[in-house]
Amino acid sequence: MLRFDPFSDLDSMTRNLLTGQTGSARTPRFMPMDLCKIDDHYVLTADLPGIDPGSVDISVDNGTLTISAHRTARSEDSVQWFANERFFGSYRRQLSLGEGIDTAAISATYENGVLTLTIPLAERAKPRRIEIAHNTQKSVEAPTVDAD
């Protein structure tokens, strides 16, 4: 089972509100993602438009899946900006994985600004049918005793 921890984002938002840092157009606030289960695996898709695929790092440590990425800012001094709304900086997302995940078989692709992770269930966690054993021996009848 894959568990999502919504409190990590809530903690971040609360910290920003309490410290007066409400974010800016220059700092990424979060990495939007979708998560669903298809047959015997989960599929996680995360939007990372404009990210260099070489800056994406995915790791699993002690049951926690971590996705990190970085978008570099343009460093041209001679540019006169009329609009400058795209985020740059580091993105990070963490999810707690349940015990039934095959962490060694997690795979990832990055295409058109979307990171897709395939997270398979471990064999022991997949649903299976349990056969019922039948006793094929005939019952033995007790001998009858004559009362003569």
Side-chain angles (χ1 to χ4, degrees), residues 48-132:
L48 292 171
I51 298 289
D52 174 15
S55 78
V56 179
D57 181 57
I58 304 165
S59 64
V60 177
D61 183 29
N62 202 23
T64 300
L65 173 74
T66 302
I67 304 169
S68 302
H70 185 79
R71 182 185 299 137
T72 307
R74 293 180 69 164
S75 60
E76 300 171 13
D77 293 330
S78 62
V79 174
Q80 180 182 2
W81 293 102
F82 296 105
N84 191 7
E85 299 173 350
R86 296 177 61 213
F87 296 134
F88 67 85
S90 296
Y91 294 79
R92 183 178 173 121
R93 200 71 193 254
Q94 291 187 314
L95 286 92
S96 296
L97 301 177
E99 293 180 21
I101 300 297
D102 185 356
T103 57
I106 295 174
S107 61
T109 59
Y110 181 74
E111 189 174 335
N112 296 327
V114 178
L115 177 68
T116 302
L117 274 70
T118 301
I119 306 168
L121 289 172
E123 280 299 319
R124 62 180 161 67
K126 292 180 183 176
R128 63 185 176 94
R129 181 177 162 91
I130 299 172
E131 295 295 325
I132 300 171

